[in-house]
């Protein structure tokens, strides 16, 4: 059956794992250690050397991309049709089981899968039909609640939460379950939950699959959640062998339910399990690996491994200290342009960041320099829904005739203006050839819509009038900040604790920061600053982003970068409260943040640049930033500091280096700052890394600065 099979291309550790005779195996595979190769060779070894049928092997992946890659490589080695092999994602495998057993799980033969958008629409309909109207109950948040419960194998009748919101959410969950059941619909969470329930309740079917799957292989095991782990246990039973491949140091999805503890749990729950470590790296240079190894050593709860390579040490890691985020972006763009003009293509360069909001400044610089780019796994900044919502409010306030903006925001956030009311307004607009905004006024004046909708329309028009007034005064950053507040857009996301909502809030804050760059912008004749800003948002949302197949710079969050690699990586924004994030510090979740840093560093093959800013505009204000603690964990022998150096940026023997200004009396001294100009030091407090100075600047008033990173010059 095998046409192309050999173990000769494996190193000793890989070969030991592939050819393990233990009933169960756990392979701790470091970044770039060839885990996919090992998984595929294990399948081929089972077929060739152990006479396993290809159809008695179950291989579970986390992405369709990974499943396709495994199938493609298997098809090159097997002389049989592999389409019916059990290779796929958790959802794909479970969907296949449900299709075969639709009667046993009480589903119609032609049951349909609904996506997240469909799920939210159904929840909205349920809330409307059952007159559930509460500003605290947000459909997307309800969907998140339902999905979380399903990931924990909890049905609506088993929920024990007793707080007000959870009670309301669960009420909707119960109706939602009934609706989906009667309509023959399953969401993504239901696919796995119903499969698990089939195996739990039906002994005959459980026995069938236990006998069918002689070996179960799981990729990215560290990313399994509670219900996925339960599913594996039921599918395996007492007879199937388990071959789990994962890396506890790359477990970065705890926020969406992944349980890194499942790696240790596997060793307790499955007998005769042998642990293998793949430590030889085929991706990165020695210096990059030394940095990654030393950072991750600071995590306590890990299995332990040490990546190494036969390749040379390679270039030193460049750590750039920028005065602010603009200088950081300019440095990155200038540096990558040099590489692109020499020997590298654009798609070999990646810019990685902790927060989605950080992409904006890099997008603007790339567009300004005519460099195509691609946001991997996301939207360009000005195309993100929450940003487009704010811009739509501004556009409608500036131009009441903007029907497109009216349609987008009249019921966003939800205020009880449904399709029936919208159709009435559209009818008036069509009949009298007037904008929807004016049609809304006419509908109110003549009581053409239901009373409840009328009150909501009045509220909406008042918001637009208020925004129009705001846009006549104050500076642009304050205007946008006020618009975000009065529209209720921000409060919608503040009510949710999801990672997605936090990202949207960061984007809204970044929009305010973007507005600061327009305070002193040169205007065209008869152009207002509002006009300039709105034009800017339109142009930047429609330019620059390349297609998947184009040669373009890759921009992505650190979470999106997992599984990818690039010759050149720029890891930006390494500052306390940004990376690690403020939330991770407050919630004592630094170990996952450190794993995220480890993932980012190990994406780089040849060249790694790490940058941080001394001043970063966040939440509409300038913040003075301390370099990330992760920088202190990188050995000095593998780095080269460039940019605005400070002796206090790095630790030696666990303590900060002495302050350059120690013992120097600064009070009363006249100083100059690159951004704020000249001023007089009026107070000094703290010592060493915590030394702060108060400066009364001639032009911008009094500010407190961290002495180590402020780059003050004494005149």
């Amino acid at each position: 059956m095998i046409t192309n099979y050999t173990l000769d291309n494996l190193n000793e550790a890989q070969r030991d794992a592939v050819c393990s005779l233990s009933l169960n195996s756990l392979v701790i595979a470091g970044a770039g250690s060839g885990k996919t190769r090992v998984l595929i060779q294990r399948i081929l070894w089972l077929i060739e050397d152990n006479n396993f049928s290809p159809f008695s092997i179950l291989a579970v992946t986390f992405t369709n991309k990974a499943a396709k890659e495994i199938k493609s490589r298997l098809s090159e080695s097997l002389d049989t049709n592999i389409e019916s092999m059990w290779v796929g994602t958790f959802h794909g495998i479970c969907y296949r089981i449900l299709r075969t057993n639709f009667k046993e799980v009480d589903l119609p033969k032609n049951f349909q899968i609904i996506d997240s958008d469909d799920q939210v629409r159904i929840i909205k309909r349920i809330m409307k039909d059952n007159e559930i109207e509460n500003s605290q109950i947000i459909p997307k948040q309800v969907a998140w609640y339902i999905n979380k419960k399903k990931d924990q194998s909890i049905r609506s009748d088993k929920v024990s939460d007793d707080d007000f919101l959870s009670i309301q959410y669960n009420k909707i969950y119960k109706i939602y379950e009934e609706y989906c059941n009667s309509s023959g619909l399953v969401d993504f969470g239901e696919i796995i939950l119903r499969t698990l329930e089939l195996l739990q309740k039906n002994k005959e079917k459980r026995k069938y699959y236990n006998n069918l799957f002689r070996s179960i292989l799981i990729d990215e095991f560290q990313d399994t959640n509670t219900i996925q782990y339960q599913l594996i246990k039921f599918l395996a039973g007492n007879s199937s062998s388990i071959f789990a491949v994962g890396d506890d140091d790359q477990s970065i999805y705890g926020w969406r339910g992944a349980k890194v503890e499942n790696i240790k749990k596997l060793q307790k729950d499955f007998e005769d399990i042998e642990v293998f470590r793949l430590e030889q790296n085929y991706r990165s240079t020695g210096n990059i690996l030394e940095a990654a190894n030393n950072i991750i050593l600071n995590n306590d709860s890990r299995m332990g491994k040490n990546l190494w390579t036969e390749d040379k040490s390679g270039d030193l890691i460049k750590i750039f200290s920028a005065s602010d985020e603009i200088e950081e972006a300019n440095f990155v763009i200038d540096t990558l342009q040099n590489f692109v003009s020499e020997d590298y293509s654009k798609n070999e360069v990646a810019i990685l960041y902790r927060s989605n909001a950080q992409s904006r400044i890099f997008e603007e610089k790339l567009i300004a320099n005519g460099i195509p780019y691609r946001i991997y796994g996301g939207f360009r900044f000005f195309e993100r829904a929450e940003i487009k919502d704010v811009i739509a409010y501004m556009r409608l306030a500036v131009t009441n005739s903007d029907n497109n903006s009216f349609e987008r925001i009249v019921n966003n956030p939800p205020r009880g203006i449904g399709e029936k009311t919208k159709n009435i307004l559209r009818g008036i607009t069509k009949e009298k050839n007037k904008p929807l905004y004016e049609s809304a006024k006419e509908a109110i004046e003549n009581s053409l819509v239901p009373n409840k909708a009328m009150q909501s329309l009045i509220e909406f028009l008042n918001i637009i009038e208020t925004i129009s007034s705001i846009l006549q005064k104050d500076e642009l950053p304050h205007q946008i900040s006020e618009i975000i507040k009065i529209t209720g857009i921000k409060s919608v996301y503040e009510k949710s604790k999801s990672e997605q909502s936090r990202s949207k809030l960061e984007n809204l804050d970044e929009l305010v920061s973007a507005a600061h760059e327009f305070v002193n912008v040169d205007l065209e004749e008869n152009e207002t600053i509002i006009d300039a800003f709105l034009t800017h948002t339109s142009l930047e949302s429609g330019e620059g982003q390349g297609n998947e197949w184009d040669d373009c710079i890759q921009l992505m969050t650190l979470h999106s970068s997992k599984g990818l690699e690039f010759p050149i990586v720029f890891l930006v924004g390494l500052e306390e409260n940004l990376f690690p994030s403020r939330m991770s510090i407050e919630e004592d979740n630094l170990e996952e943040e450190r794993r995220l840093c480890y993932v980012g560093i190990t994406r780089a093959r040849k060249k790694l640049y790490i940058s941080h800013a001394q001043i970063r505009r966040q939440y509409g204000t300038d913040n003075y930033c301390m370099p990330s603690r992760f920088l202190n964990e990188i050995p000095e022998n593998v780095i080269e500091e460039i940019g605005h150096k400070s002796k206090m940026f790095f630790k030696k023997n666990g303590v900060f280096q002495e302050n350059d200004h120690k013992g120097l009396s600064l009070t009363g001294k006249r100083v100059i700052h690159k951004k704020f100009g000249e001023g007089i030091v009026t107070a000094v407090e703290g010592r060493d890394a915590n030394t702060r100075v108060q400066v009364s600047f001639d032009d911008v008033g009094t500010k407190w600065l961290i002495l180590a990173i402020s780059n003050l010059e004494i005149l």
Side-chain angles (χ1 to χ4, degrees), residues 295-476:
I295 284 176
I296 204 64
L297 273 174
N298 291 274
N299 275 2
D300 295 325
S301 56
R302 56 190 298 264
M303 295 285 292
K305 64 179 182 306
N306 191 63
L307 296 181
W308 60 276
T309 178
E310 290 182 342
D311 292 340
K312 298 177 181 178
S313 297
D315 292 349
L316 292 173
I317 298 167
K318 307 295 193 299
I319 296 184
F320 179 72
S321 174
S323 58
D324 56 27
E325 72 270 25
I326 295 174
E327 186 180 42
E328 178 186 44
N330 285 332
F331 167 77
V332 170
I333 302 312
D334 289 344
T335 306
L336 69 81
Q337 278 188 299
N338 291 333
F339 286 123
V340 170
S341 65
E342 297 172 0
D343 301 323
Y344 293 91
S345 59
K346 297 179 186 69
N347 58 22
E348 292 181 303
V349 181
I351 303 173
L352 311 183
Y353 36 80
R354 177 64 180 86
S355 165
N356 254 314
Q358 292 172 258
S359 76
R360 181 194 61 86
I361 187 70
F362 295 99
E363 290 186 65
E364 290 190 352
K365 298 297 179 183
L366 288 164
I367 291 170
N369 285 275
I371 304 171
Y373 68 93
R374 177 178 174 239
I375 303 288
Y376 187 91
F379 293 99
R380 290 166 285 186
F381 182 80
F382 287 108
E383 286 190 345
R384 293 166 191 166
E386 61 279 11
I387 303 300
K388 292 177 74 172
D389 291 342
V390 176
I391 299 301
Y393 273 101
M394 293 179 68
R395 291 190 185 281
L396 188 59
V398 171
T399 309
N400 291 162
S401 59
D402 189 339
N403 287 342
N404 188 52
S405 292
F406 185 98
E407 288 267 16
R408 181 178 184 90
I409 58 175
V410 68
N411 196 44
N412 186 9
R415 53 176 62 90
I417 300 173
E419 281 302 308
K420 184 178 178 181
T421 300
K422 290 180 187 177
N423 284 332
I424 293 171
L425 301 183
R426 291 166 187 148
I428 299 171
T429 291
K430 186 177 181 180
E431 181 185 348
K432 299 190 176 182
N433 194 27
K434 60 170 59 177
L436 287 168
Y437 188 86
E438 296 300 324
S439 297
K441 287 184 175 180
E442 182 173 329
I444 293 168
E445 290 169 1
N446 297 297
S447 301
L448 300 177
V449 296
N451 187 59
K452 193 173 181 180
M454 189 185 303
Q455 294 303 315
S456 297
L457 272 178
I458 293 171
E459 176 192 336
F460 174 68
L461 295 183
N462 286 338
I463 290 173
I464 301 302
E465 292 299 321
T466 303
I467 293 173
S468 295
S469 175
I470 290 172
L471 294 177
Q472 303 303 315
K473 57 186 180 181
D474 297 329
E475 290 189 331
L476 184 62

Side-chain angles (χ1 to χ4, degrees), residues 56 116 138 149 187 273 333 365 377 521 547 562 602 655:
S56 69
S116 54
I138 303 160
K149 292 302 178 186
D187 56 39
I273 188 165
I333 302 312
K365 298 297 179 183
V521 71
N547 295 308
K562 188 160 177 294
T602 53
V655 297

